[in-house]
Amino acid sequence: MREPAVSDAVFALLIDGTQTEIRETGSADREAVRRLHAGMSPENLYLRFFSLSGDIGGQIADRMCRPPGAGHAAMGAWVAGGLVGVASYEATGEEGVAEVSLAVADWMHARGVGTLLLEHLAALARTRGVRAFSADTLAQNHAVQRLFADAGLSLRRHSEGGVVEFTMPLAPDARYRDAVAERERSADVRSLEHLLRPASLAVIGAGRRVTSIGALILRNVLASGYRGPVYAVNPRAGAELGGVPCFRSAADLPEPVDLAVVTVPAEAVGQVAEECGRRGVRSLVVITSGVDGRELTAICHRYGMRLVGPNCLGIANTAAGFDATFAASRPIAGEAGVVVQSGGVGIALRDHLSRLGIGVSTFASVGDKYDVSSNDMLEWWESDPGTRLGLIHVESFGNPRKFARTARRVGRRIPLLTVVSGRSEAGLRAAASHTAAAATPDVTREALFRQAGIVAVHGLGELLDAAAFLACQPVPAGPRVAIVSNAGGAGVLAADSCADVGLSVAEPSATTREALGRLLPPGAACAGPVDTGAGIAPDRFRRCVELVAADAGVDAVIMIVAPTAASDLVSVVTAGDVSKPLAAVVLGQPESVDVRHGDGRRVPSYAYPENAARALASAWSYGRWRARPYGRLPDLPGTRRADAEEIITAHLSRCPEGGWLSPAESMGLLAAYGLPLAEWRMVGSADDAVQAAAELGEPVVLKAQVPGVVHKSDAGAVVLGLRGEDEVRRAYQAMAERFDGRLDGVLIQRMAPEGVEVLCGITQEPVFGPLVVFGLGGVATDVLGDTGARLTPLTDLDAEELIRSVRSAPLLLGHRGRPAVDIAGLRSALLRLSCLAEEHPDIAELDLNPIIARPDGVVAVDARVRVIPQRHWDPYLRRMR
Ligand code: ADP
Ligand code: MG
């Protein structure tokens, strides 16, 4: 068991968005705990302790604030420095079961303090070997019963004599995770209200000089039509500045504003933040760069202020009528949410989205993102009906698991687009940070974004191209694109571009071709890309587009017009009666992307066919993702989570830095999750080996365990196919001699019959968190890199797809008369690995190489697992950065 050391303080949000500090209580907290109980109403005390005896608070405080030990722990929740609730557990007589109790100050009831404390205490208890909480509550204590029921942990209930007994196993399952995630989402959104829909606002550091950043922000706020009270803060400016009341310090503000935008020099930011906190300001946007972000975050936590920046351009919410940035122009109100790290990119995106008429809903430049990150913006957009697509350009996404989970959820509602950075395979390989595992996936970050439902493109131009399409047109239902042009050459270019990006060129049906033939001059091309000829009249051209769009074999249309002296076809772009997704290419158009408005329609219009094709391909890939059934997160009967946790915890208490598990630990971990393993024994002598071989059944395999040897067969540490006492004995002795003095033991295994060797594994990806990896084992992995990977948690469909995604899949699915291997067995192995990765964040990497797959089953014969302690034991725990 890991030494119970007092856990770090973390900050988390209550359901109403209030920031709370959560940490273990210590002797210094005794008085606060006593006062909390002393302040509780008699009813509250009675419900909790079934008694109304004198100094109950003092007794509880003594118990709660004693040093942490094996059998107990206590945590407190503080709001603005005051203790508002405590939770503790005490070991019961029963192994692995502890009795939990909660107390929340009367005035803080119904704000989620108890639930938050329960989540944190459960996570802490799990790391200290507690497997279940029990609790006795009075039958009339509905509040705490509801709290237990709503927490999402599976519950057993037993009532007797007016007392309800609860037992809650602490292993987090999918239902519990969903419940926590939902609480997190709503708390996050509530906490952003003050920031993104402020009722009042101050600009701190607004100068008289019109070019000062503060003055520019003030000007933008006023010019963007903000209706709430606006104040300026400047010690030297007098009573009025830029048309608003001005104060010498944040302390003098006439009201605790929802949002303060801070532009003072770096050395003054700390003090200004303090003053804001003391004045009750609810959130800060810190524009200034060169600020100590950690110190600033600590101040914001202390006063419960959410923080954007430092080192950013500012934020805007057009629906709330404010633009608190120092951009030269203001965005038009519209439907795109934008989050960027770099202010310059942000300005470019705002300007282009405004030019295109798509406009911006909310904008945040998150800068050094000590607190508010793209994850927060995703959650905001999810609950904002005005945001219909989201553009993200950041170098990193914050908490990977939260990002992967949030993006997949938000992507169902609105398309999310990003520019991939670190997309080169080299980047990903470097990120995998190890040499031993073969399970370094041969996947690009682009593919991972695609799995998360995010449209990932290669540059800002492409980002706008795709955004223009997704904002203005429906998502294509398929990849078949009809091309209609009045310039045959451009039609061919478009067809080639479609092929390049994985779209197909639709062949109009015979009926459509006939109808086209009646409209077009003899000799015009009616199949493949339709070429109307240059001189066609606008009306006829429009009819042609309508005809192909109506064809059942067409999913989307690219219409290409080359303006000629003979006819102006540009006016036709928005004129047709086309209900399928439509992109226009207007050759010679000065902007590479534009949006043409007319007849209540908006059609994206590109200067080049390749841009149109790529934008369509992005939209189609999003459409395909959204239409794809999610699949099922399977129940995996017989997994023993607690046993696995114990193995990892035991290893980490011996090796606090982490490292490779021993073969016995690895096998134990995998067995706990029901992964099929070849039967094995560890032996220490030739006699042992002979006896084990007899028990296991021949033939057997011997593997020397030598510290530092990673690839055993390369080092001559694997001997296969041993039969008979003599062979086993000789092989053992040969190993003992060869690795003289270095041998940690010898693993003996039943030899699996021949089959296809595959590898399955887990690896960690910096943006997305854990991945499950699959590929063909042996040479195929090392030389061909034929592997694929999926984000966790895998559904049954993900597992099936992953198996089929590798190029050598035909070897598994039945090939040249060879029967298919046990695909269901492989799928189950992948799902079990996904579950293992989800539930044990300490697993840094895991390789099963090979799993031998045969028609009658699959069996792993080699396993390596590396663990690294995670400072925060539960990645799903609600906490701020
Ligand atoms: P390493 O990967 O460290 O070299 P392995 O334990 O994977 O060592 O063994 C090397 C190879 O030997 C495997 O890829 C597999 O082909 C074969 N092998 C190992 N153990 C068994 C077994 N129990 N049954 C069948 N083949 C085995
Ligand atoms: Mg191996």
Side-chain angles (χ1 to χ4, degrees), residues 678-679 700-701 703 709-715 718 720 747 749-754 757 778 849-850 852 859-864:
E679 228 192 308
V700 293
V701 178
K703 299 182 184 180
V709 168
V710 171
H711 297 289
K712 294 181 291 297
S713 38
D714 293 352
V718 177
L720 302 173
L747 186 89
Q749 260 176 349
R750 160 94 59 89
M751 171 106 177
E754 202 184 315
E757 297 199 356
N849 187 13
I852 298 180
V859 61
V861 302
D862 187 23
R864 294 180 60 74

Side-chain angles (χ1 to χ4, degrees), residues 639-844:
T639 51
R640 290 176 279 118
R641 292 190 178 93
D643 292 356
E645 193 141 314
E646 218 154 275
I647 292 171
I648 294 172
T649 309
H651 183 92
L652 288 176
S653 63
R654 264 189 293 114
C655 317
E657 304 291 296
W660 295 98
L661 298 189
S662 72
E665 288 170 329
S666 303
M667 304 280 196
L669 182 74
L670 294 161
Y673 272 69
L675 284 144
L677 296 168
E679 228 192 308
W680 62 279
R681 306 266 191 281
M682 283 301 282
V683 293
S685 71
D687 287 342
D688 283 358
V690 168
Q691 196 195 330
E695 284 167 22
L696 292 171
E698 289 172 346
V700 293
V701 178
L702 286 191
K703 299 182 184 180
Q705 302 304 317
V706 183
V709 168
V710 171
H711 297 289
K712 294 181 291 297
S713 38
D714 293 352
V718 177
V719 194
L720 302 173
L722 298 170
R723 287 174 193 278
E725 189 177 328
D726 273 3
E727 272 185 39
V728 173
R729 193 175 291 282
R730 257 186 281 123
Y732 184 92
Q733 277 155 355
M735 260 180 194
E737 271 163 39
R738 179 176 197 139
F739 299 106
D740 182 35
R742 292 191 293 151
L743 205 56
D744 252 3
V746 170
L747 186 89
I748 178 165
Q749 260 176 349
R750 160 94 59 89
M751 171 106 177
E754 202 184 315
V756 184
E757 297 199 356
V758 300
L759 82 88
C760 299
I762 299 171
T763 188
Q764 298 288 336
E765 209 281 337
V767 168
F768 292 98
L771 306 181
V772 170
V773 182
F774 175 77
L776 267 277
V779 181
T781 308
D782 297 345
V783 180
L784 306 176
D786 189 13
T787 52
R790 287 290 181 278
L791 307 175
T792 63
L794 265 72
T795 63
D796 52 352
L797 283 179
D798 293 328
E800 184 73 33
E801 251 184 42
L802 176 55
I803 294 170
R804 288 170 191 271
S805 72
V806 298
R807 288 189 294 279
S808 11
L811 292 176
L812 302 169
L813 301 169
H815 174 67
R816 294 206 175 169
R818 290 202 355 213
V821 305
D822 175 15
I823 297 292
L826 283 180
R827 211 170 39 218
S828 154
L830 293 170
L831 292 169
R832 285 168 190 279
L833 286 178
S834 161
C835 200
L836 192 58
E838 283 279 293
E839 285 166 5
H840 304 279
D842 293 329
I843 298 177

